[in-house]
Amino acid sequence: MDNCIFCKIANGEIPSATLYEDEDFRVILDLGPASKGHSLILPKAHAANLMEMPDELAGKAMILAKKMAAKLVDTLGCDGLNVVQNNGESAGQTVHHFHIHLIPRRTDDGVVLGWKPGQLTEEDRDELLKSFH
Ligand code: 5GP
Ligand code: ZN
């Protein structure tokens, strides 16, 4: 992908603050962090979103998220950490190259994430259960 900024960052064409690199991934500090240590896991191969990720790479991405999460919590001494992964503009994705956000958290840190809980209706439940079985 010639015009993808995360392809260029992941493959080292554009310099970035890199916490970790291997043959498949680069982990960088987000330029607009929600909290100190907010990092992004970028695959070196372009995939627009989770659904486009090859199975093996998707699995490796989650294993790397686990390792990086543990290291960030240990290094920063924080209380928790959100793993966030947006797919599509409606879901808040602004860079259309798959990435996983790792967002270190502390009690009362003021970081805003989340949704207003609704109520599962019987109609939605039945429709969805029918579609998935
Ligand atoms: P999304 O909204 O697509 O899930 O997240 C994109 C993230 O990439 C945002 O948190 C944004 O701050 C970060 N970002 C966008 N461009 C750059 C960049 O050039 N370098 C770095 N390090 N982060 C970027
Ligand atoms: Zn890309």
Side-chain angles (χ1 to χ4, degrees):
M1 288 290 286
D2 289 348
N3 253 336
C4 174
I5 183 145
F6 278 5
C7 275
K8 291 182 179 149
I9 292 173
N11 291 287
E13 285 171 55
I14 294 177
S16 61
T18 297
L19 299 182
Y20 173 87
E21 184 184 2
D22 63 24
E23 62 176 354
D24 295 315
F25 299 98
R26 183 185 294 270
V27 183
I28 63 170
L29 291 175
D30 195 299
L31 278 185
S35 67
K36 182 177 176 181
H38 181 167
S39 308
L40 301 171
I41 297 178
L42 313 180
K44 292 185 174 178
H46 182 85
N49 54 42
L50 178 62
M51 293 71 89
E52 286 193 5
M53 281 282 276
D55 285 359
E56 195 189 342
L57 203 59
K60 283 182 179 175
M62 187 49 83
I63 291 167
L64 181 56
K66 177 187 166 182
K67 284 186 187 151
M68 292 303 302
K71 177 79 176 162
L72 282 164
V73 167
D74 189 42
T75 303
L76 294 163
C78 55
D79 304 315
L81 180 141
N82 290 108
V83 177
V84 175
Q85 200 278 306
N86 300 324
N87 298 285
E89 275 168 33
S90 62
Q93 186 177 12
T94 57
V95 182
H96 296 276
H97 174 123
F98 173 90
H99 52 280
I100 296 175
H101 295 261
L102 300 172
I103 305 176
R105 300 298 305 273
R106 293 175 192 280
T107 305
D108 299 328
D109 61 12
V111 173
V112 181
L113 289 174
W115 57 89
K116 191 166 132 276
Q119 178 76 47
L120 178 62
T121 64
E122 285 184 18
E123 192 187 1
D124 284 354
R125 182 197 63 199
D126 293 348
E127 179 194 321
L128 287 160
L129 288 177
K130 215 157 90 184
S131 304
F132 277 80
H133 288 283

